[in-house]
Amino acid sequence: MTAPLTPPPHPRDQSSHQAWQPPAAGAGQAHGTHGSHGPYGSHDTYGISGLYGQDGPGMKTEVREAAVVAVVVGVFGALLGVLWWWLAPSVPLVGDVVDESWVVYFKDSEGEQAVGVDGTFTLLALAFGLVSAVAVFVWRRRGGVPLVVGLA
């Protein structure tokens, strides 16, 4: 059995079998929103009037914040690389010249150092990604597409 997708009718509407009628002119406009005011409260059609007024923060502001986030994430990406180089295990390699070009092999082909390098990077990248996402969320809760692109 599946759950109904629409809310149940209001108790006072069950006794009346009248067809639905559009709201009176100006209904919902008393609060300065572009929505309607129904039995379940007011509904803001655009979803932004409670946050910014009518227009939002503006594209220039969002792009500026996204650029700041992108620069900060880039700096922390360089820090991630330095930490990875410092913390990851070293992988011993051997090389040989074959047909006038170098070929490099693992010294211990069954060693676990190569997996340790990948695992170190994965864990550091997850930690840095989590910290940067939480920091950006705390700083700018409203978000926006430019901010998400800057974070990525």
Side-chain angles (χ1 to χ4, degrees), residues 5-83:
L5 297 177
T6 57
H10 197 272
R12 66 181 158 95
D13 292 339
Q14 289 178 348
S15 63
S16 172
H17 291 32
Q18 297 175 358
W20 178 84
Q21 295 176 4
Q29 300 298 328
H31 298 292
T33 63
H34 290 268
S36 63
H37 188 75
Y40 300 107
S42 66
H43 173 68
D44 182 11
T45 305
Y46 301 109
I48 60 172
S49 66
L51 298 174
Y52 300 112
Q54 295 297 330
D55 296 333
M59 186 58 78
K60 288 182 181 180
T61 303
E62 287 186 14
V63 170
R64 187 179 324 117
E65 291 171 352
V68 168
V69 167
V71 168
V72 170
V73 167
V75 168
F76 279 105
L79 178 63
L80 169 72
V82 170
L83 279 174

